[in-house]
Amino acid sequence: QTVVTQEPSFSVSPGGTVTLTCGLSSGSVSTSYYPSWYQQTPGQAPRTLIYSTNTRSSGVPDRFSGSILGNKAALTITGAQADDESDYYCVLYMGSGIHVVFGGGTKLTVL
Amino acid sequence: EVQLVESGGGLVQPGGSLRLSCAASGFTFSSYWMSWVRQAPGKGLEWVANIKQDGSEKYYVDSVKGRFTISRDNAKNSLYLQMNSLRAEDTAVYYCARYRRPLRAFDIWGQGTMVTVSS
């Protein structure tokens, strides 16, 4: 069974830039997987950031961007702020039967 | 305001049943696929089930097939998850989410309802 992989943790300095990635245990991620990204702070519901690889959801600031980098989907945060400290999850579309699979999430620390 | 509000969570014994509900408002509920997503304590998010606008297509993660049933009542703007034969590993916060099928993404989330399976 294919697993969606993410870095377990990452840290960034305030004002810095960080790129989180979303890969597959077998194979490459492309736009055909419709990668999407979600932010979740402890005790809160997820918030949709990016869908269809690089389209920002309504109200999401433009310092969040999505792309394909090499064989992975990527979420880049430029000018990181303290309230960006959250868990970030990617989702990949796996086909009409399985539908979607979440990655394990990346815990981002801003310090 | 677009909103999803879950209810029905609680404590249930292993082998028991529970029915979750999700009330939608602020959008045309009958025009969208809907989903349930869960999160076990301290763990990541896991997609559970999807249902098409008219209920004619339903999909489940393997671990709940045959035990959980997703359904909807468009007249009541409501989504449901009937959970039977519950196991300890089903303990989680269950989120209702709007699924944008053309985009293969969730765009609106409820606040979640906690389900605890324990004796």
Side-chain angles (χ1 to χ4, degrees):
Chain A
Q1 182 177 345
T2 301
V3 174
V4 178
T5 62
Q6 294 185 249
E7 300 88 357
S9 62
F10 229 115
S11 64
V12 62
S13 300
T17 296
V18 63
T19 296
L20 311 181
T21 67
C22 175
L24 289 169
S25 57
S26 177
S28 298
V29 177
S30 67
T31 56
S32 299
Y33 285 86
Y34 294 84
S36 54
W37 292 89
Y38 305 85
Q39 178 190 48
Q40 187 184 36
T41 54
Q44 299 297 313
R47 170 197 182 196
T48 303
L49 295 176
I50 300 283
Y51 57 88
S52 297
T53 305
N54 56 14
T55 303
R56 274 185 297 277
S57 188
S58 177
V60 174
D62 59 7
R63 53 198 185 79
F64 290 91
S65 62
S67 63
I68 299 291
L69 286 181
N71 62 350
K72 296 182 179 182
L75 174 70
T76 299
I77 307 172
T78 57
Q81 300 179 0
D83 59 5
D84 294 336
E85 188 162 290
S86 302
D87 294 324
Y88 291 86
Y89 294 91
C90 70
V91 167
L92 300 180
Y93 174 68
M94 296 299 198
S96 60
I98 303 171
H99 269 235
V100 297
V101 176
F102 281 86
T106 297
K107 183 177 183 62
L108 180 67
T109 301
V110 180
L111 51 73
Chain B
E1 179 190 6
V2 175
Q3 196 172 12
L4 298 170
V5 179
E6 302 92 335
S7 60
L11 174 64
V12 61
Q13 293 188 340
S17 298
L18 209 57
R19 189 197 195 206
L20 306 183
S21 299
C22 171
S25 59
F27 65 98
T28 305
F29 179 73
S30 59
S31 296
Y32 294 90
W33 283 71
M34 295 297 296
S35 302
W36 288 99
V37 174
R38 68 183 178 183
Q39 186 171 36
K43 302 297 185 182
L45 297 166
E46 178 184 41
W47 167 73
V48 174
N50 279 357
I51 185 169
K52 193 178 179 180
Q53 290 94 326
D54 61 0
S56 62
E57 295 182 35
K58 304 176 184 181
Y59 302 94
Y60 302 91
V61 67
D62 283 350
S63 59
V64 308
K65 284 180 182 176
R67 301 188 300 122
F68 289 13
T69 302
I70 188 171
S71 63
R72 63 193 296 162
D73 185 335
N74 288 339
K76 294 183 178 180
N77 292 333
S78 293
L79 176 73
Y80 306 101
L81 186 67
Q82 177 66 45
M83 304 185 294
N84 298 331
S85 303
L86 283 161
R87 307 166 180 168
E89 54 265 35
D90 296 317
T91 294
V93 175
Y94 284 74
Y95 294 102
C96 167
R98 191 172 76 176
Y99 181 62
R100 299 295 303 278
R101 180 68 170 87
L103 307 175
R104 312 315 198 254
F106 310 99
D107 67 344
I108 306 297
W109 297 78
Q111 283 304 303
T113 187
M114 183 70 203
V115 172
T116 302
V117 184
S118 174
S119 54

